[in-house]
Amino acid sequence: VEALVVYRKMAAFRVIGHVWWRSAGSGLLSRLKRDGSRNLCAEGGASSDAEPVEAKKPSFTDEAVQTLLYKMTGLDLQKIYRPVKQESKPPSYKLMTDEQLEQAMEKAKEVAKELLKMPPVLNEREPIDDVLAYDKILDGMEPTRIVFTDITFGTPHRERFIVVREPDGRLRKASWEERDRMIQIYFPREGRKLVPACLFKTENLPNMFQQDCHEHVLNLCIVQFEPDSAEYIRVHRETYEDIEKYAKYDVLYSTRHFGGMVWYLANRKRIDGLLINMIQKHMLNDAECLINLYHMLHPETQSAKEAKDLAACGIDLIKIFVNTESQKAGYIELALQTYETLYNTAASS
């Protein structure tokens, strides 16, 4: 980067070469004003799975959905507060009464719940491809693009003027990728890089997954990308697909990413593997929540209709799903039989 010029709260950015500037008083700024709204980026990031009014499905942020997802996520304090690599410091010790210890545990649980707050699930933002003006007089005057960025402090990043002057004289809105780079230059976010790490490439992700680093990948993804960007959605999709393929559901259990994975699988009617995992771990309440979420997202299914008519719950609800919807009915029935045998043995002893 050889030149950064600030002029009337606008910034021009060039990758190679010098910056040629002319007064913007009646040029760029006035043209932007004539263009209308201050927001030069396309509308994006609407809540996921938005449907027409006549067939609206529950959204990820709905209270009922969030309640079910939080119940399934679990609150494993040993996992949430597991040791992490950091600067070595001497341990601290405190003497507490039973009452103080109980208060400390309650405080730890409250902090843990905050750490389990789920990242947003959004639709991919619409691409920006709007040309504001075409000045033939500028054709060929500069060999490279010039990016103009509104750097006014306090302005929401989605509402910033970010436009690009092409070498052929076109003045267009910056693409999402260009906007993200420019905002990171002027308003850097800790942990985010101008060039994403190589680990996010499709060919490199399997190496991370083989080491069960799914949570680490998703944590880095949240920092690096916007939640409605194509890359953010792709990395999450590939992570969930690997977990589903190899039944590694436990790597995200009791993390802030578990709810997003469950939402992904339930939307695509692929909850059989996760359901088997829950039954094998004797987590029948979670299995019931999973099927209830499935019915909320797919009320037209035979399973949802039968469960509603019979007001089914518990094992009866699971059996209705197995008999009508499951693609792995035999495996789930076997897991249920094993659970019931163990339960009856424990009850009789």
Side-chain angles (χ1 to χ4, degrees):
V1 176
E2 295 189 7
L4 290 176
V5 180
V6 179
Y7 182 78
R8 294 192 180 183
K9 295 186 179 180
M10 298 290 291
F13 174 78
R14 282 283 306 281
V15 178
I16 299 177
H18 65 280
V19 173
W20 170 84
W21 197 280
R22 67 177 182 181
S23 174
S26 60
L28 173 64
L29 293 179
S30 59
R31 184 175 293 114
L32 293 175
K33 291 177 181 178
R34 292 197 304 269
D35 182 64
S37 172
R38 179 180 181 82
N39 188 353
L40 291 185
C41 61
E43 292 296 328
S47 182
S48 65
D49 297 308
E51 294 290 334
V53 176
E54 63 272 16
K56 185 177 180 181
K57 292 168 60 177
S59 68
F60 183 76
T61 55
D62 285 355
E63 183 178 356
V65 171
Q66 289 287 304
T67 299
L68 291 175
L69 293 177
Y70 271 115
K71 286 182 179 179
M72 287 183 279
T73 295
L75 188 66
D76 185 352
L77 296 181
Q78 294 294 328
K79 184 171 184 178
I80 296 172
Y81 291 112
R82 65 189 181 278
V84 296
K85 292 183 179 180
Q86 58 184 359
E87 182 181 354
S88 179
K89 295 181 180 180
S92 60
Y93 300 92
K94 294 183 180 180
L95 296 177
M96 295 183 176
T97 64
D98 291 342
E99 182 180 356
Q100 289 173 332
L101 179 60
E102 185 177 349
Q103 292 175 353
M105 290 297 295
E106 289 299 322
K107 184 178 179 180
K109 289 181 180 179
E110 292 301 319
V111 174
K113 290 178 181 179
E114 287 297 317
L115 295 175
L116 292 180
K117 187 176 181 180
M118 288 175 276
V121 176
L122 305 176
N123 285 328
E124 183 178 345
R125 54 196 181 187
E126 295 293 331
I128 303 175
D129 189 23
D130 296 338
V131 177
L132 304 177
Y134 184 49
D135 298 320
K136 294 184 179 180
I137 193 173
L138 300 178
D139 187 6
M141 187 167 292
E142 287 293 317
T144 57
R145 300 170 182 169
I146 301 178
V147 180
F148 300 89
T149 304
D150 178 0
I151 59 172
T152 306
F153 286 99
T155 301
H157 292 328
R158 288 293 175 108
E159 298 180 8
R160 291 188 181 280
F161 284 138
I162 305 181
V163 294
V164 180
R165 176 69 75 178
E166 295 283 355
D168 62 3
R170 283 183 298 125
L171 181 69
R172 61 172 176 82
K173 298 178 183 179
S175 66
W176 286 114
E177 291 74 19
E178 292 167 334
R179 292 182 61 87
D180 291 343
R181 287 199 301 271
M182 299 310 300
I183 290 173
Q184 179 62 16
I185 288 174
Y186 294 113
F187 305 94
R189 177 178 175 181
E190 184 179 358
R192 180 173 293 187
K193 301 179 180 179
L194 284 176
V195 179
C198 293
L199 69 88
F200 293 119
K201 294 183 178 179
T202 299
E203 60 270 22
N204 295 332
L205 284 175
N207 295 328
M208 299 294 294
F209 297 155
Q210 288 176 3
Q211 304 174 53
D212 292 342
C213 293
H214 303 75
E215 182 185 2
H216 181 61
V217 169
L218 295 180
N219 285 335
L220 293 177
C221 179
I222 290 174
V223 175
Q224 181 62 45
F225 304 111
E226 293 297 314
D228 57 355
S229 68
E231 288 298 289
Y232 180 99
I233 296 173
R234 177 187 62 81
V235 172
H236 277 72
R237 180 182 67 249
E238 293 182 10
T239 304
Y240 298 152
E241 289 293 340
D242 184 83
I243 291 174
E244 166 68 7
K245 181 178 180 180
Y246 297 103
K248 295 182 178 181
Y249 308 106
D250 291 344
V251 298
L252 293 187
Y253 180 74
S254 200
T255 71
R256 58 178 174 166
H257 308 291
F258 190 80
M261 180 194 69
V262 175
W263 176 259
Y264 176 87
L265 295 175
N267 266 289
R268 288 156 183 79
K269 297 185 176 182
R270 294 166 57 190
I271 65 171
D272 296 70
L274 180 56
L275 183 60
I276 294 171
N277 178 268
M278 290 176 172
I279 297 173
Q280 290 175 340
K281 293 166 63 178
H282 302 173
M283 301 167 64
L284 268 292
N285 290 334
D286 289 357
E288 184 177 354
C289 289
L290 179 61
I291 295 177
N292 285 330
L293 177 64
Y294 182 94
H295 291 166
M296 289 174 62
L297 294 173
H298 309 288
E300 76 287 350
T301 59
Q302 183 181 352
S303 174
K305 294 176 182 178
E306 286 191 19
K308 183 178 180 180
D309 293 340
L310 300 175
C313 61
I315 293 181
D316 293 335
L317 178 65
I318 299 174
K319 290 181 177 180
I320 290 176
F321 174 82
V322 171
N323 295 330
T324 57
E325 296 292 327
S326 177
Q327 300 175 7
K328 299 179 180 179
Y331 292 100
I332 299 178
E333 288 176 352
L334 180 61
L336 277 175
Q337 290 174 6
T338 302
Y339 171 81
E340 290 178 326
T341 299
L342 293 174
Y343 179 82
N344 292 332
T345 302
S348 60
S349 60

